[in-house]
Amino acid sequence: MPRKEQGWITFQTSEEERKILEEFCQDSQRTKTEILRELVRGLNKHQAPKTSKPTKKVEKEATQEVPELEMTIQKKPLKVSSRNILKGVVKKVIPGAVNCEVTIEVIHKVELTSMITKTSAEELELAEGQEAYAVIKSNDIVIAKE
């Protein structure tokens, strides 16, 4: 089947851009396809700027990776010492008096469960169907969210 009918997109990048993408993929343990799909899906959340040509300041800011925390606060991406970070989907959140049991499906039929504090689960606003990360350090699995 031709690439056009499969929805393939091919584009050229500089050597520097390619290295940045490959390093990010290695650090996050995700494929280039996963990263690019996530970036494209994120475009729905933001409207294109109305100016026809961005200023130097806007160009510089656009190259920095800064996820939104609130409308007025910008924050750098979370950095952790753990090397095992698995992206998944929250399947269950079972609240208890003090702790919550959180189950994340990282790949089809592979689920990880972690006990976290009820306060942490509330601050992360964990809910079934949301994307989250299982961060594994030694024998612990912690939960993170962008």
Side-chain angles (χ1 to χ4, degrees):
M1 184 177 289
R3 287 183 173 191
K4 185 191 266 186
E5 292 177 21
Q6 289 181 340
W8 287 76
I9 297 174
T10 305
F11 62 96
Q12 293 182 337
T13 63
S14 68
E15 184 71 19
E16 181 182 353
E17 291 168 331
R18 185 185 58 77
K19 284 181 181 178
I20 291 169
L21 179 58
E22 287 176 354
E23 286 175 12
F24 187 85
C25 290
Q26 185 177 3
D27 290 345
S28 65
Q29 297 182 350
R30 294 162 50 204
T31 66
K32 292 175 192 170
T33 300
E34 290 173 318
I35 301 299
L36 295 172
R37 281 185 180 144
E38 186 174 320
L39 290 170
V40 169
R41 289 178 186 140
L43 296 175
N44 285 337
K45 298 175 185 175
H46 306 286
Q47 292 184 355
K50 293 182 181 179
T51 58
S52 59
K53 187 175 179 183
T55 64
K56 293 268 187 206
K57 183 180 178 184
V58 172
E59 285 176 353
K60 184 177 180 182
E61 289 174 355
T63 61
Q64 297 174 352
E65 196 172 308
V66 184
E68 283 186 28
L69 177 62
E70 293 180 10
M71 296 296 275
T72 58
I73 300 174
Q74 290 187 341
K75 181 178 164 184
K76 291 184 180 180
L78 176 69
K79 291 186 180 183
V80 294
S81 63
S82 301
R83 297 293 97 198
N84 301 305
I85 302 171
L86 306 172
K87 187 174 185 177
V89 176
V90 176
K91 288 296 177 184
K92 287 189 285 186
V93 179
I94 304 172
V98 177
N99 293 325
C100 284
E101 182 179 307
V102 180
T103 301
I104 294 179
E105 183 178 60
V106 290
I107 59 173
H108 184 65
K109 294 188 179 182
V110 176
E111 296 180 347
L112 298 173
T113 301
S114 178
M115 292 296 289
I116 64 173
T117 65
K118 188 174 182 179
T119 303
S120 293
E122 290 169 355
E123 287 176 359
L124 291 171
E125 298 175 343
L126 295 173
E128 290 182 23
Q130 289 185 328
E131 289 184 344
Y133 297 88
V135 182
I136 303 168
K137 181 75 172 183
S138 297
N139 60 346
D140 288 331
I141 299 174
V142 297
I143 305 298
K145 183 178 169 186
E146 292 183 279

